[in-house]
Amino acid sequence: MANGKFELYTDKAGEYRFRLKAGNGETIGASQGYKSKSGATNGIESVKKNAALEERFTVFEGNGGKWYFNLKAGNQEVILASQGYSSKQGAESGAKSVQNHAPDAAVEEVA
C-alpha cells in the first residue's frame, strides 16, 4: 500500500488548511483553518506526533447517525477531524488509518 500524505492548501477564505490522505487517495481527516502557513505546518507536525497516542482520539456519534473521530493535541484542541462514517467501526478504522499513515506521511502543497 502506498504511503499517506498531507496536502497543504489555501481555502477560498485565504486560510491555510491541510488534509491527510490515505495511499488510495481517500481523505482520512482535515484540519481547521490557520491564518499562516507556518501555523498549518505546525498543525501537521502536531498530527504526526499525536497520531501515535491512541488516547488522543475520540470517536463519537454526530447528528444524523453519522460517526466521526477527532484527534486532539495535548492541550485538548482538535487538530484533525474526520468526515462522517456510517458506523462506529468505520470511524474507529479511520482513526487507526491516521495512526498508520500520519507519522511518516510526506507533505505536499496543492493549489
Side-chain angles (χ1 to χ4, degrees):
M1 178 169 69
N3 290 335
K5 68 179 177 181
F6 286 97
E7 289 183 343
L8 178 63
Y9 63 99
T10 309
D11 67 15
K12 290 181 178 132
E15 291 190 318
Y16 292 89
R17 295 181 179 267
F18 61 85
R19 57 188 160 241
L20 177 61
K21 293 210 163 191
N24 64 4
E26 289 220 11
T27 299
I28 306 170
S31 74
Q32 64 183 19
Y34 292 87
K35 299 285 184 216
S36 68
K37 185 176 178 181
S38 64
T41 302
N42 288 341
I44 290 170
E45 291 307 312
S46 185
V47 169
K48 287 182 172 195
K49 182 176 76 176
N50 287 287
L53 305 170
E54 197 168 325
E55 66 271 15
R56 297 283 166 87
F57 287 89
T58 306
V59 174
F60 60 95
E61 188 174 8
N63 294 336
K66 293 274 189 185
W67 287 84
Y68 301 85
F69 69 82
N70 286 334
L71 173 61
K72 294 182 179 181
N75 64 3
Q76 297 304 303
E77 288 287 317
V78 174
I79 51 176
L80 192 73
S82 75
Q83 297 176 346
Y85 291 86
S86 59
S87 68
K88 182 178 182 181
Q89 184 179 10
E92 290 170 343
S93 293
K96 285 278 185 224
S97 188
V98 172
Q99 289 178 303
N100 293 335
H101 288 94
D104 300 318
V107 179
E108 179 181 307
E109 289 190 48
V110 294

